[in-house]
Amino acid sequence: MTVYNKVNDEFINKLSESVEGKVFTADQINEDFSHDEMPIYGSYQPDVLVAAKSTEDVSKILKLCNEYKIPVLARGAGSGLVGSGVAINGGVMIDMQGMNKILEYDLDNLVVRVQPGVYLHDLAEDCLTKGYMYPPDPGEKFATLGGNVSTNAGGMRAVKYGTTRDYVRAMEVVLPTGEITRFGAVVSKTSTGYSLKDLMVGSEGTLGIITELTLKIVPQAKHTISLIVPFESLDECIATVPVLFRANLKPQAIEFMERKIILASEKYIGKETFPKNIEGTDVNAYLLITFDGDNEDEIDVLMEQAAELLVENGAIDVLVADTPSAIKDAWAARSSFLEAINSQYKLIDECDVVVPINKIAPFINFVNEIGEKYDFDVQSFGHAGDGNLHIYTVSNDEDKLDEFNKQVHEFMEEIYAKAYEFGGQLSGEHGVGHGKLKYLKEYEGQLNTDLMRGIKKVFDPNMILNPGKVVSAE
């Protein structure tokens, strides 16, 4: 097991003298930096917080931490859900939010160069003012781009446009030794050795710290339309998804949700958009589908074809949202799921397994069935177009935290095993962090986790960078 040195006055003084950004210690560090958006995994205050202002700051911090053998990690907006950006070993936390400039657009090559502290929302809005789109669309719009890349965040548009990984062309990286390097290039294709850039994407800040990104952008689609599609049963709801793909309709997003989570979300936002009963038939599941493109007539044709297929395959009705306000209303409930859950429950845990799309319905049915034997409630929703499912375990029995954690662990063991039986994996977009680390070796196997650990040691011989996340030290 790796043993780290304690932060002392000599180290803090050297750090303060080396960097341009402010250095905070003890009570100067805001409590928000001790946890992410899933506090069930614990609260861990760093010994030192440095508000980095430049790549040089990051390099100097890592050189000192490597020299003194002190754990160090980068932190964005803290919107993660698996404890990736939490200082579970104390040490130094680097706040990257101050490195938040959109540096340069290169429209000839359809890329934009940014610092890692830029919020997803800010880049997306800035691109639109120029007639372009940054397609990755994770649910938390005020996450930093560095955090998005570090977890390979997916989001709702992944079904058509792909995940964050597909938009990372190049990056500047500071290695745990403090050395500065670049991975990737502006070019759209390469066969130049191992893809070190792609090793960084999704590595949760365990191999290096990203200090600059070159991201692909695309021309903005001129027209968008959304469909709210109610079904009597979850099985019929999910079964229509492969039908849409086989018809080559190319939806931008396909989300599924059960009645229970819609009721919770609409209560939270104070507005009802989704029908609950249509001509005497109770609605128990929904698809929320978006199409986009440059030709309004073509979008209308796609919508009509989709509506016909949906009704033929069990949809009770197809409700069309074709104005900006109607589309906003249609997506408001979906966008508020996590906030709705947080507002109604005191104890929350979550997983984001991914399964083949033809296994979504049997998997959710399995989750609902085994959930009945536990004391907590289960809320489920997800990305029907790519099989990434969000399963929440929730309770208000705060005085039974230990029992909640015990039962959730047993529940997770069962549903992860079923996901792998179906050909799925542990996480589709949230990552492993330390919250899901105990499951990685069990389901990915000893050989694969040994390979991951070997890669970690090549990048980080002293194991100082974000230790205890993704792979264990031993």
Side-chain angles (χ1 to χ4, degrees):
M1 183 174 180
T2 304
V3 177
Y4 300 103
N5 292 320
K6 297 291 185 182
V7 170
N8 56 30
D9 290 341
E10 176 190 342
F11 174 82
I12 293 172
N13 289 335
K14 279 194 175 183
L15 193 59
S16 300
E17 292 167 0
S18 299
V19 300
E20 185 183 0
K22 286 186 178 181
V23 176
F24 304 90
T25 59
D27 293 342
Q28 298 173 328
I29 302 173
N30 191 301
E31 187 272 337
D32 286 346
F33 288 100
S34 68
H35 60 83
D36 63 7
E37 291 298 314
M38 195 58 67
I40 195 78
Y41 300 138
S43 180
Y44 306 88
Q45 194 81 345
D47 298 302
V48 182
L49 176 72
V50 185
K53 288 195 170 185
S54 65
T55 300
E56 289 68 31
D57 270 1
V58 176
S59 175
K60 289 171 182 176
I61 295 165
L62 288 179
K63 281 179 181 175
L64 272 173
C65 289
N66 199 50
E67 177 186 343
Y68 280 77
K69 205 170 183 183
I70 288 173
V72 56
L73 74 157
R75 165 90 169 200
S79 59
L81 294 170
V82 292
S84 291
V86 179
I88 61 174
N89 292 281
V92 177
M93 177 179 283
I94 308 174
D95 180 6
M96 304 295 289
Q97 293 179 95
M99 295 177 62
N100 57 6
K101 293 183 176 64
I102 298 174
L103 299 170
E104 176 189 26
Y105 283 89
D106 176 355
L107 298 182
D108 288 337
N109 289 301
L110 288 178
V111 296
V112 59
R113 196 162 55 87
V114 301
Q115 292 182 312
V118 174
Y119 292 139
L120 171 65
H121 168 273
D122 292 350
L123 178 62
E125 291 296 312
D126 198 64
C127 283
L128 292 176
T129 65
K130 295 172 171 55
Y132 291 85
M133 179 170 68
Y134 177 64
D137 187 38
E140 178 50 71
K141 303 301 185 281
F142 289 92
T144 59
L145 293 168
N148 284 171
V149 171
S150 293
T151 56
N152 187 31
M156 292 171 274
R157 293 198 292 233
V159 60
K160 178 175 180 178
Y161 290 105
T163 64
T164 297
R165 178 186 302 279
D166 301 304
Y167 292 85
V168 180
R169 287 286 177 82
M171 61 177 69
E172 179 183 74
V173 175
V174 182
L175 299 176
T177 56
E179 297 167 285
I180 302 169
T181 187
R182 291 193 68 85
F183 299 146
V186 171
V187 297
S188 61
K189 60 190 293 190
T190 176
S191 296
T192 312
Y194 299 144
S195 180
L196 299 174
K197 171 201 57 143
D198 284 305
L199 273 177
M200 288 292 300
V201 178
S203 65
E204 301 180 46
T206 62
L207 303 181
I209 294 179
I210 297 167
T211 51
E212 187 183 295
L213 288 161
T214 300
L215 302 171
K216 182 176 76 169
I217 56 177
V218 300
Q220 179 188 0
K222 293 181 175 63
H223 303 283
T224 302
I225 194 167
S226 288
L227 308 178
I228 295 174
V229 190
F231 290 84
E232 186 174 6
S233 74
L234 176 68
D235 287 337
E236 287 178 310
C237 175
I238 300 302
T240 62
V241 176
V243 175
L244 295 176
F245 286 135
R246 288 196 294 269
N248 197 31
L249 296 181
K250 299 178 181 176
Q252 181 208 82
I254 311 179
E255 298 293 293
F256 89 89
M257 52 220 71
E258 294 184 278
R259 179 190 184 97
K260 185 163 55 174
I261 189 68
I262 283 292
L263 292 173
S265 184
E266 290 186 338
K267 178 181 177 182
Y268 173 75
I269 64 176
K271 186 172 187 177
E272 292 191 17
T273 305
F274 288 68
K276 313 303 182 299
N277 183 285
I278 298 175
E279 296 182 356
T281 300
D282 283 337
V283 180
N284 293 300
Y286 306 84
L287 290 180
L288 181 55
I289 307 172
T290 293
F291 295 95
D292 68 358
D294 292 332
N295 186 301
E296 188 172 7
D297 291 338
E298 288 181 7
I299 296 298
D300 288 342
V301 169
L302 286 176
M303 182 269 293
E304 290 170 4
Q305 291 175 339
E308 185 177 338
L309 284 172
L310 289 161
V311 171
E312 286 176 359
N313 286 273
I316 303 171
D317 199 355
V318 177
L319 310 178
V320 180
D322 56 1
T323 66
S325 62
I327 292 170
K328 182 179 179 181
D329 287 346
W331 283 92
R334 170 60 183 89
S335 300
S336 300
F337 284 171
L338 180 53
E339 290 87 351
I341 290 170
N342 283 332
S343 73
Q344 294 175 46
Y345 296 97
K346 303 297 183 184
L347 299 178
I348 302 169
D349 203 348
E350 181 261 6
C351 74
D352 79 310
V353 296
V354 59
V355 299
I357 58 173
N358 66 334
K359 297 296 184 182
I360 295 174
F363 183 80
I364 294 296
N365 286 331
F366 173 81
V367 166
N368 290 339
E369 181 182 340
I370 68 161
E372 293 294 327
K373 67 182 181 181
Y374 295 101
D375 296 331
F376 50 75
D377 194 14
V378 178
Q379 302 269 18
S380 303
F381 56 93
H383 312 306
D386 54 35
N388 187 194
L389 314 175
H390 301 297
I391 315 296
Y392 279 80
T393 56
V394 294
S395 173
N396 281 316
D397 292 329
E398 287 185 275
D399 57 337
K400 298 180 180 178
L401 175 61
D402 290 343
E403 180 62 20
F404 176 78
N405 286 334
K406 175 178 176 292
Q407 289 195 23
V408 167
H409 172 66
E410 293 172 1
F411 173 76
M412 293 293 180
E413 289 274 7
E414 290 194 75
I415 66 173
Y416 283 137
K418 181 61 71 172
Y420 275 78
E421 177 188 321
F422 282 162
Q425 285 194 301
L426 197 71
S427 171
E429 59 187 0
H430 294 166
V432 176
H434 79 92
K436 304 301 181 187
L437 180 59
K438 56 182 171 287
Y439 303 109
L440 187 72
K441 183 192 293 186
E442 181 175 359
Y443 295 106
E444 284 296 316
Q446 184 70 52
L447 177 58
N448 286 2
T449 50
D450 283 348
L451 288 170
M452 293 181 200
R453 191 176 297 109
I455 291 168
K456 165 72 171 168
K457 287 182 177 179
V458 168
F459 276 79
D460 184 13
N462 287 325
M463 305 294 277
I464 62 162
L465 187 55
N466 208 9
K469 320 292 174 58
V470 186
V471 291
S472 59
E474 304 299 336

